[in-house]
Amino acid sequence: QVQLVESGGGLVQAGGSLRLSCAASGLTFRTYAMGWFRQAPGKEREFVATISWSGGATYYADSVKGRFTISRDNAKNTVYLQMSSLKPEDTAVYSCAAVPSFSGSYYAVSANEYRYWGQGTQVTVSS
């Protein structure tokens, strides 16, 4: 049974930082590309960042580029999202997702490509 469990969300002031973690189990983590998505109230889910299984390739939404950093530790089966210079518009439920990959440079931007999803963690940024 595959499980993706996010943690690290919370309430932070604008300009602050948070680090989200997503612990994976029940899958061969090193063969999966990982992604972070978010959904704000009343809005559609949107892509945030993705990383290849090797960690060598990453891609970010324009709205977070330069402020967020995605990384992974395959020995710990965990993917991270370091968020800095947070803005109120970053407020959302953040979810991680996994997609099987046969290439160390593959990553996915579309939510439709992902096979497994976590339940999400709330991030609230106050102004």
Side-chain angles (χ1 to χ4, degrees):
Q1 180 182 358
V2 174
Q3 281 193 311
L4 301 177
V5 180
E6 300 94 339
S7 61
L11 173 64
V12 63
Q13 287 190 332
S17 299
L18 280 176
R19 188 177 82 155
L20 305 183
S21 299
C22 170
S25 61
L27 53 73
T28 305
F29 184 71
R30 66 181 183 275
T31 65
Y32 281 75
M34 300 296 295
W36 284 97
F37 291 78
R38 67 187 182 186
Q39 187 165 21
K43 295 188 176 182
E44 293 187 354
R45 180 171 55 194
E46 66 171 341
F47 165 77
V48 175
T50 181
I51 188 168
S52 63
W53 68 253
S54 69
T58 59
Y59 188 79
Y60 298 89
D62 287 343
S63 59
V64 307
K65 200 173 297 182
R67 299 188 299 121
F68 291 11
T69 302
I70 189 171
S71 62
R72 65 190 294 159
D73 185 337
N74 287 345
K76 296 183 178 179
N77 287 4
T78 301
V79 63
Y80 305 97
L81 186 68
Q82 177 67 49
M83 306 185 295
S84 303
S85 301
L86 283 161
K87 306 174 181 179
E89 51 264 44
D90 294 318
T91 295
V93 174
Y94 285 71
S95 299
C96 66
V99 53
S101 170
F102 298 101
S103 166
S105 61
Y106 171 81
Y107 55 67
V109 175
S110 171
N112 293 334
E113 297 187 65
Y114 285 84
R115 180 176 296 181
Y116 302 112
W117 289 84
Q119 292 297 311
T121 185
Q122 176 71 46
V123 171
T124 303
V125 184
S126 63
S127 57

